[in-house]
Amino acid sequence: MNFSILFVLLAGLIFRLFLASFGTLQLDHGTFVAWASSLYQDGFKTFYYLPGYLYILWLLGKLNETLPGFQTILFKLPAILADLATGFLIYKIVYKLKNEKWATISSLLYIFNPAIFANSTLWGQVDSLTSLFALFAIYIFPKNYILSAVSLAVGTLIKPQAAFILPAILYMFVFYDQNRRFIYRLAKSITYSLSGLIVFTLGFVPFNNSSSLFNFIIERLTLSSGQYKYGSVNAFSFWGIFGFWK
């Protein structure tokens, strides 16, 4: 690994740790802290949210008991690390397509993009984890398509927006297998779908408090989809110009 990308990642980490004590969106931060405490003390059965990030909150709840004085930074740390990991993935992808120089510049532009560090490091949101797993699903697909399916499933368990990467995955199925026989492509598609579905389903099992796991998953997905009524909320995006399209 080149020194330049190590410097960018280290600088990005130091920069985020310095900012982490500022700009916290207290409503969501307080919710995460309360959920983490409840998960650690009472278990998984009473939660209504998608389970992906709840596993991380359970761990944060446990760590928060040991390190209460570092609560703000602790609860922002998963998103901060996800920013850096995504930046490194961008480096790997661009390095393969172009060269070292452009790979480092691309990673630098992402890691120090104000929209990125404001979301994770200031506000304390977790969208960077969704981005990480979605991008990793694309990056790893040519090498290990089952691991790609697992990554996409985990990202969707955190936030359903990760599933919007599926058109890119479908394109890669066509691009990488266009010279393969139909039966191979069909088997690969089925394996990919089943692998992702199994991981996605298993993610709900510890939280299931009903007699039907299927109905429980549908209920959680329906509830979660109702929480995303806007095209954009408080984000640096095109929709913000027009009142966060609903």
Short mmCIF file of all heavy atoms in Angstrom, two decimals, residues 14-53:
data_model
loop_
_atom_site.label_atom_id
_atom_site.label_comp_id
_atom_site.label_asym_id
_atom_site.label_seq_id
_atom_site.Cartn_x
_atom_site.Cartn_y
_atom_site.Cartn_z
N ILE A 14 -7.78 11.71 12.08
CA ILE A 14 -7.45 12.77 13.04
C ILE A 14 -8.42 13.94 12.89
O ILE A 14 -8.91 14.50 13.88
CB ILE A 14 -6.00 13.23 12.85
CG1 ILE A 14 -5.03 12.09 13.20
CG2 ILE A 14 -5.70 14.46 13.70
CD1 ILE A 14 -3.58 12.37 12.88
N PHE A 15 -8.68 14.32 11.67
CA PHE A 15 -9.62 15.41 11.38
C PHE A 15 -11.00 15.12 11.97
O PHE A 15 -11.62 15.98 12.60
CB PHE A 15 -9.70 15.60 9.87
CG PHE A 15 -10.69 16.65 9.42
CD1 PHE A 15 -10.45 17.98 9.66
CD2 PHE A 15 -11.84 16.27 8.74
CE1 PHE A 15 -11.36 18.96 9.24
CE2 PHE A 15 -12.75 17.22 8.32
CZ PHE A 15 -12.51 18.58 8.57
N ARG A 16 -11.47 13.90 11.80
CA ARG A 16 -12.81 13.54 12.30
C ARG A 16 -12.84 13.45 13.82
O ARG A 16 -13.83 13.85 14.45
CB ARG A 16 -13.24 12.21 11.67
CG ARG A 16 -13.78 12.38 10.26
CD ARG A 16 -13.83 11.06 9.51
NE ARG A 16 -14.66 11.17 8.31
CZ ARG A 16 -14.28 11.79 7.20
NH1 ARG A 16 -13.07 12.36 7.14
NH2 ARG A 16 -15.09 11.85 6.16
N LEU A 17 -11.80 12.91 14.42
CA LEU A 17 -11.77 12.84 15.88
C LEU A 17 -11.75 14.23 16.50
O LEU A 17 -12.34 14.45 17.56
CB LEU A 17 -10.55 12.03 16.33
CG LEU A 17 -10.57 10.54 16.00
CD1 LEU A 17 -9.27 9.87 16.46
CD2 LEU A 17 -11.77 9.84 16.63
N PHE A 18 -11.10 15.16 15.82
CA PHE A 18 -11.08 16.54 16.31
C PHE A 18 -12.47 17.17 16.25
O PHE A 18 -12.88 17.90 17.15
CB PHE A 18 -10.09 17.36 15.48
CG PHE A 18 -10.11 18.84 15.80
CD1 PHE A 18 -9.51 19.32 16.95
CD2 PHE A 18 -10.76 19.72 14.95
CE1 PHE A 18 -9.55 20.69 17.25
CE2 PHE A 18 -10.80 21.09 15.24
CZ PHE A 18 -10.19 21.57 16.39
N LEU A 19 -13.22 16.87 15.18
CA LEU A 19 -14.54 17.48 14.99
C LEU A 19 -15.67 16.76 15.72
O LEU A 19 -16.77 17.30 15.86
CB LEU A 19 -14.89 17.50 13.49
CG LEU A 19 -14.11 18.45 12.59
CD1 LEU A 19 -14.60 18.32 11.15
CD2 LEU A 19 -14.25 19.90 13.06
N ALA A 20 -15.40 15.53 16.17
CA ALA A 20 -16.48 14.67 16.67
C ALA A 20 -17.24 15.24 17.86
O ALA A 20 -18.39 14.87 18.10
CB ALA A 20 -15.91 13.30 17.02
N SER A 21 -16.63 16.13 18.61
CA SER A 21 -17.30 16.70 19.79
C SER A 21 -18.23 17.85 19.43
O SER A 21 -18.93 18.37 20.31
CB SER A 21 -16.25 17.20 20.80
OG SER A 21 -15.44 16.13 21.26
N PHE A 22 -18.28 18.21 18.14
CA PHE A 22 -19.08 19.36 17.71
C PHE A 22 -20.23 18.93 16.81
O PHE A 22 -20.18 17.90 16.16
CB PHE A 22 -18.20 20.37 16.97
CG PHE A 22 -16.99 20.82 17.74
CD1 PHE A 22 -15.75 20.22 17.53
CD2 PHE A 22 -17.09 21.81 18.71
CE1 PHE A 22 -14.63 20.63 18.23
CE2 PHE A 22 -15.98 22.23 19.42
CZ PHE A 22 -14.75 21.64 19.20
N GLY A 23 -21.26 19.78 16.75
CA GLY A 23 -22.32 19.65 15.76
C GLY A 23 -23.24 18.46 15.89
O GLY A 23 -23.95 18.12 14.95
N THR A 24 -23.25 17.81 17.03
CA THR A 24 -24.03 16.59 17.21
C THR A 24 -25.53 16.87 17.09
O THR A 24 -26.05 17.81 17.69
CB THR A 24 -23.76 15.96 18.58
OG1 THR A 24 -22.35 15.78 18.72
CG2 THR A 24 -24.46 14.62 18.72
N LEU A 25 -26.21 16.06 16.30
CA LEU A 25 -27.67 16.13 16.21
C LEU A 25 -28.23 15.40 17.43
O LEU A 25 -28.35 14.18 17.44
CB LEU A 25 -28.15 15.48 14.91
CG LEU A 25 -29.63 15.64 14.55
CD1 LEU A 25 -30.00 17.11 14.37
CD2 LEU A 25 -29.95 14.86 13.28
N GLN A 26 -28.57 16.16 18.46
CA GLN A 26 -28.85 15.58 19.77
C GLN A 26 -30.06 14.65 19.78
O GLN A 26 -30.09 13.68 20.53
CB GLN A 26 -29.05 16.70 20.80
CG GLN A 26 -27.78 17.49 21.11
CD GLN A 26 -26.68 16.62 21.72
OE1 GLN A 26 -26.95 15.57 22.31
NE2 GLN A 26 -25.44 17.06 21.57
N LEU A 27 -31.06 14.93 18.93
CA LEU A 27 -32.25 14.07 18.91
C LEU A 27 -31.89 12.64 18.54
O LEU A 27 -32.23 11.69 19.26
CB LEU A 27 -33.27 14.63 17.93
CG LEU A 27 -34.55 13.79 17.74
CD1 LEU A 27 -35.31 13.68 19.06
CD2 LEU A 27 -35.43 14.40 16.65
N ASP A 28 -31.17 12.48 17.44
CA ASP A 28 -30.80 11.13 17.00
C ASP A 28 -29.72 10.52 17.90
O ASP A 28 -29.74 9.32 18.18
CB ASP A 28 -30.30 11.16 15.56
CG ASP A 28 -31.45 11.28 14.56
OD1 ASP A 28 -32.61 11.20 15.00
OD2 ASP A 28 -31.19 11.45 13.36
N HIS A 29 -28.79 11.36 18.34
CA HIS A 29 -27.73 10.85 19.22
C HIS A 29 -28.33 10.31 20.51
O HIS A 29 -27.97 9.21 20.97
CB HIS A 29 -26.73 11.96 19.53
CG HIS A 29 -25.67 11.55 20.51
ND1 HIS A 29 -24.63 10.71 20.18
CD2 HIS A 29 -25.50 11.85 21.83
CE1 HIS A 29 -23.86 10.51 21.23
NE2 HIS A 29 -24.37 11.20 22.25
N GLY A 30 -29.25 11.07 21.09
CA GLY A 30 -29.91 10.60 22.31
C GLY A 30 -30.69 9.32 22.09
O GLY A 30 -30.72 8.44 22.97
N THR A 31 -31.31 9.21 20.92
CA THR A 31 -32.04 7.98 20.59
C THR A 31 -31.10 6.79 20.50
O THR A 31 -31.39 5.71 21.03
CB THR A 31 -32.79 8.16 19.25
OG1 THR A 31 -33.72 9.24 19.36
CG2 THR A 31 -33.55 6.88 18.89
N PHE A 32 -29.96 6.97 19.81
CA PHE A 32 -28.98 5.89 19.69
C PHE A 32 -28.46 5.44 21.06
O PHE A 32 -28.31 4.24 21.31
CB PHE A 32 -27.81 6.32 18.80
CG PHE A 32 -28.14 6.42 17.35
CD1 PHE A 32 -27.47 7.32 16.52
CD2 PHE A 32 -29.10 5.60 16.77
CE1 PHE A 32 -27.77 7.41 15.18
CE2 PHE A 32 -29.40 5.68 15.43
CZ PHE A 32 -28.74 6.59 14.63
N VAL A 33 -28.18 6.41 21.92
CA VAL A 33 -27.68 6.09 23.26
C VAL A 33 -28.73 5.32 24.05
O VAL A 33 -28.41 4.31 24.70
CB VAL A 33 -27.27 7.37 24.01
CG1 VAL A 33 -26.93 7.05 25.46
CG2 VAL A 33 -26.08 8.04 23.33
N ALA A 34 -29.98 5.76 23.98
CA ALA A 34 -31.05 5.09 24.71
C ALA A 34 -31.28 3.68 24.17
O ALA A 34 -31.46 2.73 24.94
CB ALA A 34 -32.34 5.90 24.62
N TRP A 35 -31.27 3.54 22.85
CA TRP A 35 -31.43 2.21 22.25
C TRP A 35 -30.28 1.29 22.63
O TRP A 35 -30.50 0.10 22.93
CB TRP A 35 -31.50 2.33 20.73
CG TRP A 35 -32.82 2.85 20.22
CD1 TRP A 35 -33.89 3.27 20.95
CD2 TRP A 35 -33.19 3.00 18.85
NE1 TRP A 35 -34.89 3.67 20.13
CE2 TRP A 35 -34.50 3.52 18.83
CE3 TRP A 35 -32.55 2.76 17.65
CZ2 TRP A 35 -35.17 3.79 17.64
CZ3 TRP A 35 -33.22 3.03 16.46
CH2 TRP A 35 -34.51 3.53 16.45
N ALA A 36 -29.06 1.82 22.59
CA ALA A 36 -27.90 1.00 22.93
C ALA A 36 -27.99 0.49 24.36
O ALA A 36 -27.72 -0.69 24.63
CB ALA A 36 -26.62 1.82 22.75
N SER A 37 -28.39 1.35 25.27
CA SER A 37 -28.53 0.96 26.67
C SER A 37 -29.61 -0.11 26.83
O SER A 37 -29.43 -1.10 27.55
CB SER A 37 -28.85 2.19 27.52
OG SER A 37 -29.06 1.82 28.87
N SER A 38 -30.74 0.10 26.15
CA SER A 38 -31.84 -0.86 26.25
C SER A 38 -31.46 -2.21 25.65
O SER A 38 -31.79 -3.26 26.20
CB SER A 38 -33.07 -0.30 25.54
OG SER A 38 -34.16 -1.19 25.62
N LEU A 39 -30.78 -2.18 24.51
CA LEU A 39 -30.35 -3.43 23.87
C LEU A 39 -29.40 -4.20 24.76
O LEU A 39 -29.51 -5.43 24.89
CB LEU A 39 -29.68 -3.12 22.52
CG LEU A 39 -30.60 -2.76 21.36
CD1 LEU A 39 -29.81 -2.08 20.25
CD2 LEU A 39 -31.29 -4.00 20.82
N TYR A 40 -28.47 -3.49 25.37
CA TYR A 40 -27.48 -4.15 26.22
C TYR A 40 -28.12 -4.71 27.49
O TYR A 40 -27.79 -5.82 27.93
CB TYR A 40 -26.37 -3.17 26.58
CG TYR A 40 -25.35 -3.73 27.54
CD1 TYR A 40 -24.60 -4.86 27.21
CD2 TYR A 40 -25.13 -3.14 28.78
CE1 TYR A 40 -23.67 -5.38 28.09
CE2 TYR A 40 -24.19 -3.64 29.66
CZ TYR A 40 -23.47 -4.77 29.31
OH TYR A 40 -22.55 -5.29 30.19
N GLN A 41 -29.06 -3.98 28.06
CA GLN A 41 -29.64 -4.39 29.34
C GLN A 41 -30.84 -5.33 29.19
O GLN A 41 -31.03 -6.23 29.99
CB GLN A 41 -30.06 -3.14 30.13
CG GLN A 41 -28.88 -2.27 30.54
CD GLN A 41 -29.32 -0.99 31.23
OE1 GLN A 41 -30.49 -0.82 31.59
NE2 GLN A 41 -28.38 -0.07 31.43
N ASP A 42 -31.65 -5.10 28.14
CA ASP A 42 -32.91 -5.84 28.02
C ASP A 42 -32.98 -6.82 26.86
O ASP A 42 -33.96 -7.56 26.75
CB ASP A 42 -34.07 -4.83 27.89
CG ASP A 42 -34.12 -3.85 29.04
OD1 ASP A 42 -33.81 -4.26 30.18
OD2 ASP A 42 -34.46 -2.67 28.80
N GLY A 43 -32.00 -6.80 25.98
CA GLY A 43 -32.02 -7.73 24.86
C GLY A 43 -32.69 -7.17 23.63
O GLY A 43 -33.04 -5.99 23.56
N PHE A 44 -32.91 -8.04 22.63
CA PHE A 44 -33.31 -7.61 21.29
C PHE A 44 -34.81 -7.63 21.02
O PHE A 44 -35.25 -7.08 20.01
CB PHE A 44 -32.64 -8.52 20.24
CG PHE A 44 -31.15 -8.42 20.19
CD1 PHE A 44 -30.39 -9.49 19.72
CD2 PHE A 44 -30.49 -7.28 20.61
CE1 PHE A 44 -29.00 -9.40 19.66
CE2 PHE A 44 -29.11 -7.17 20.55
CZ PHE A 44 -28.37 -8.24 20.08
N LYS A 45 -35.60 -8.24 21.85
CA LYS A 45 -36.97 -8.60 21.48
C LYS A 45 -37.95 -7.43 21.38
O LYS A 45 -39.04 -7.59 20.82
CB LYS A 45 -37.53 -9.62 22.48
CG LYS A 45 -36.80 -10.95 22.48
CD LYS A 45 -36.98 -11.69 21.17
CE LYS A 45 -36.34 -13.08 21.21
NZ LYS A 45 -36.47 -13.80 19.94
N THR A 46 -37.62 -6.27 21.90
CA THR A 46 -38.61 -5.18 21.98
C THR A 46 -38.41 -4.11 20.91
O THR A 46 -39.07 -3.07 20.96
CB THR A 46 -38.55 -4.51 23.36
OG1 THR A 46 -37.24 -3.99 23.58
CG2 THR A 46 -38.89 -5.51 24.46
N PHE A 47 -37.53 -4.35 19.93
CA PHE A 47 -37.21 -3.29 18.98
C PHE A 47 -37.95 -3.46 17.67
O PHE A 47 -38.16 -4.56 17.18
CB PHE A 47 -35.69 -3.24 18.75
CG PHE A 47 -35.00 -2.42 19.80
CD1 PHE A 47 -34.66 -2.98 21.02
CD2 PHE A 47 -34.73 -1.09 19.58
CE1 PHE A 47 -34.05 -2.22 22.00
CE2 PHE A 47 -34.11 -0.32 20.55
CZ PHE A 47 -33.77 -0.90 21.77
N TYR A 48 -38.32 -2.30 17.09
CA TYR A 48 -39.15 -2.26 15.89
C TYR A 48 -38.37 -1.85 14.65
O TYR A 48 -38.90 -1.90 13.55
CB TYR A 48 -40.31 -1.27 16.09
CG TYR A 48 -39.87 0.14 16.37
CD1 TYR A 48 -39.61 1.03 15.33
CD2 TYR A 48 -39.71 0.59 17.68
CE1 TYR A 48 -39.20 2.32 15.58
CE2 TYR A 48 -39.30 1.89 17.94
CZ TYR A 48 -39.05 2.76 16.90
OH TYR A 48 -38.64 4.04 17.16
N TYR A 49 -37.10 -1.42 14.81
CA TYR A 49 -36.32 -0.88 13.70
C TYR A 49 -35.65 -2.01 12.93
O TYR A 49 -35.59 -3.15 13.41
CB TYR A 49 -35.27 0.08 14.26
CG TYR A 49 -34.74 1.09 13.29
CD1 TYR A 49 -35.55 2.07 12.76
CD2 TYR A 49 -33.40 1.06 12.90
CE1 TYR A 49 -35.05 3.01 11.88
CE2 TYR A 49 -32.89 2.00 12.02
CZ TYR A 49 -33.73 2.97 11.51
OH TYR A 49 -33.22 3.90 10.64
N LEU A 50 -35.16 -1.71 11.72
CA LEU A 50 -34.36 -2.70 11.00
C LEU A 50 -33.16 -3.11 11.85
O LEU A 50 -32.54 -2.26 12.50
CB LEU A 50 -33.89 -2.14 9.66
CG LEU A 50 -34.95 -2.05 8.55
CD1 LEU A 50 -34.33 -1.42 7.31
CD2 LEU A 50 -35.51 -3.41 8.20
N PRO A 51 -32.80 -4.39 11.85
CA PRO A 51 -31.85 -4.88 12.86
C PRO A 51 -30.38 -4.60 12.60
O PRO A 51 -29.57 -4.74 13.52
CB PRO A 51 -32.10 -6.39 12.85
CG PRO A 51 -32.58 -6.68 11.47
CD PRO A 51 -33.38 -5.49 11.06
N GLY A 52 -30.00 -4.23 11.38
CA GLY A 52 -28.57 -4.13 11.05
C GLY A 52 -27.76 -3.30 12.02
O GLY A 52 -26.78 -3.78 12.60
N TYR A 53 -28.15 -2.05 12.22
CA TYR A 53 -27.37 -1.18 13.09
C TYR A 53 -27.61 -1.47 14.56
O TYR A 53 -26.80 -1.07 15.41
CB TYR A 53 -27.68 0.29 12.79
CG TYR A 53 -26.65 1.23 13.38
CD1 TYR A 53 -25.33 1.19 12.93
CD2 TYR A 53 -26.97 2.13 14.40
CE1 TYR A 53 -24.36 2.03 13.47
CE2 TYR A 53 -26.00 2.97 14.93
CZ TYR A 53 -24.70 2.91 14.47
OH TYR A 53 -23.74 3.74 15.00
#
